[in-house]
Amino acid sequence: VFFNIFNSSQVMMGITTIDSNIIFNVNKAFIQTLGYSLEEISGKTVRELDIYENYSQREIMLQQFADTGRAEGEATIKTKSGERLECLFSFEQIKIQEEDYMIAAITNITQRKQMEEKLKHFINQQKLLVDVAQLLNKPDDFDDIINTVLSLIGRHSNVSRVFVFKNTDDEQFTSNTHEWCNEGIESKKNEFQMFPFAKVPSWKKMLLEEGRIFSENISELPQDIIDLFKPLNVKSVLAYPINIQNHFWGFMGFDECLRNKKWLDDEINLLLSVTNNIANALERKLYLNQSQENEQR
């Protein structure tokens, strides 16, 4: 009866000897989830099977089991194909034919963990947007505020660079006014001062006509943009225009140099929200400057 219940359980289960940790038996759920055959598992120790991402996680639970006769904990295990699963473990002592064994019930909580991480990331992002809005409303030095904002969103998104460019009044040239670089990423700010849009006409055209530049792989972009980014080792880019009083003031963006980055919806929304917040702050600043000039006149 026990082995019928053991094999029909939807929860992964394994039975090992207590002293040597040799695998005595595993159920169907264990085999189906991890992708091993019973022959590949039987007779091996848990360490030899090498399913733990970090074996010390198991050792902590084994010490708890040795002290109390039962244990619970979380650990990351690997399937035969290399997929990582976050699992909840429960160890109990059982007796089979007068011999003592340890039975482990293993629940895959990967999806729950992923949802928890997404929720945590979402909450952090909402807090970040509130912090950015508050910063942009402060009367402090505006350049310092923008640098702080770029640092906050860069660290949150873990991209290679975050940048702000300001155009000349005639919109013929643009300059990198603010830049944040991740660890190990080289600054390119000095290379983009009074940079002529005529060198990369597609950049301005896409920002004005499509409302953004979005690419997970720069090879999908127009050739003039590819020619600009390849020497810079940029692999993915996301940028939005900054429009102030119906004028193309400049643009803000992320770029990624280490990999072809799949831009997540929350990253896209974050950059758009921050771009709009900066545009609003710049517009307020411009309006105040104009009001002060009128008062002085």
Side-chain angles (χ1 to χ4, degrees):
V1 175
F2 167 77
F3 281 105
N4 284 337
I5 297 171
F6 177 79
N7 274 315
S8 62
S9 173
Q10 299 301 304
V11 175
M12 289 180 280
M13 289 187 175
I15 300 172
T16 59
T17 57
I18 292 177
D19 295 332
S20 57
N21 265 313
I22 293 173
I23 299 168
F24 174 71
N25 201 354
V26 294
N27 68 350
K28 288 180 181 177
F30 188 102
I31 290 169
Q32 290 169 355
T33 303
L34 298 191
Y36 290 95
S37 67
L38 189 58
E39 290 73 23
E40 290 175 302
I41 293 172
S42 297
K44 285 188 176 180
T45 65
V46 176
R47 187 184 281 276
E48 286 172 342
L49 189 59
D50 192 31
I51 62 169
Y52 281 83
E53 176 83 354
N54 182 353
Y55 194 77
S56 64
Q57 292 176 313
R58 177 178 174 85
E59 289 175 329
I60 292 169
M61 291 184 283
L62 288 178
Q63 185 59 55
Q64 186 184 351
F65 178 82
D67 294 340
T68 65
R70 63 190 310 276
E72 288 184 352
E74 293 183 14
T76 305
I77 60 174
K78 301 173 290 186
T79 67
K80 187 177 179 181
S81 64
E83 182 185 359
R84 267 60 177 172
L85 303 178
E86 298 292 332
C87 293
L88 179 65
F89 284 76
S90 176
F91 293 165
E92 297 278 353
Q93 186 170 320
I94 62 168
K95 192 177 287 291
I96 301 174
Q97 295 177 352
E98 305 307 316
E99 293 289 333
D100 288 328
Y101 292 89
M102 183 176 72
I103 183 168
I106 310 165
T107 306
N108 184 358
I109 57 171
T110 305
Q111 286 189 334
R112 191 188 85 188
K113 282 287 187 180
Q114 289 172 344
M115 290 301 295
E116 287 174 356
E117 286 300 315
K118 284 182 180 178
L119 180 60
K120 182 180 176 182
H121 186 77
F122 174 77
I123 291 170
N124 288 339
Q125 182 158 307
Q126 296 309 303
K127 182 180 180 301
L128 174 62
L129 288 171
V130 171
D131 291 343
V132 166
Q134 290 176 341
L135 278 168
L136 291 169
N137 278 313
K138 283 186 173 182
D140 301 351
D141 182 83
F142 196 72
D143 286 330
D144 288 344
I145 289 173
I146 296 297
N147 286 330
T148 302
V149 167
L150 298 197
S151 175
L152 286 173
I153 65 173
R155 294 181 191 284
H156 175 81
S157 301
N158 195 30
V159 292
S160 293
R161 288 190 199 90
V162 189
F163 51 81
V164 172
F165 278 68
K166 181 181 179 182
N167 305 333
T168 53
D169 290 341
D170 61 6
E171 298 180 14
Q172 298 303 304
F173 298 87
T174 190
S175 295
N176 188 179
T177 56
H178 302 82
E179 179 193 59
W180 173 87
C181 295
N182 211 330
E183 187 177 347
I185 300 298
E186 184 182 355
S187 171
K188 298 296 180 182
K189 184 178 178 182
N190 292 336
E191 297 180 30
F192 289 96
Q193 300 303 314
M194 291 299 290
F195 187 84
F197 277 119
K199 271 193 174 182
V200 194
S202 297
W203 184 269
K204 181 178 177 182
K205 186 173 186 288
M206 289 180 72
L207 283 174
L208 295 179
E209 293 182 3
E210 299 179 25
R212 71 177 184 181
I213 293 171
F214 171 82
S215 177
E216 295 174 1
N217 186 338
I218 63 159
S219 64
E220 303 165 347
L221 294 172
Q223 190 61 48
D224 55 344
I225 298 179
I226 296 172
D227 293 341
L228 173 70
F229 278 145
K230 266 202 169 177
L232 303 176
N233 201 34
V234 173
K235 293 180 168 53
S236 305
V237 66
L238 174 64
Y240 284 98
I242 298 175
N243 296 308
I244 298 175
Q245 295 181 342
N246 298 317
H247 172 64
F248 178 38
W249 182 92
F251 53 91
M252 179 177 182
F254 291 151
D255 64 29
E256 180 55 56
C257 300
L258 302 180
R259 64 195 184 282
N260 289 328
K261 180 173 176 59
K262 181 174 176 59
W263 299 106
L264 302 175
D265 288 343
D266 62 343
E267 292 170 326
I268 295 168
N269 294 333
L270 172 65
L271 183 60
L272 179 58
S273 297
V274 173
T275 302
N276 289 335
N277 283 338
I278 288 177
N280 291 336
L282 286 166
E283 196 152 9
R284 284 196 303 273
K285 188 169 179 284
L286 182 63
Y287 176 77
L288 287 172
N289 290 341
Q290 290 171 343
S291 297
Q292 287 170 357
E293 288 172 6
N294 289 339
E295 285 177 5
Q296 287 171 358
R297 281 199 294 269

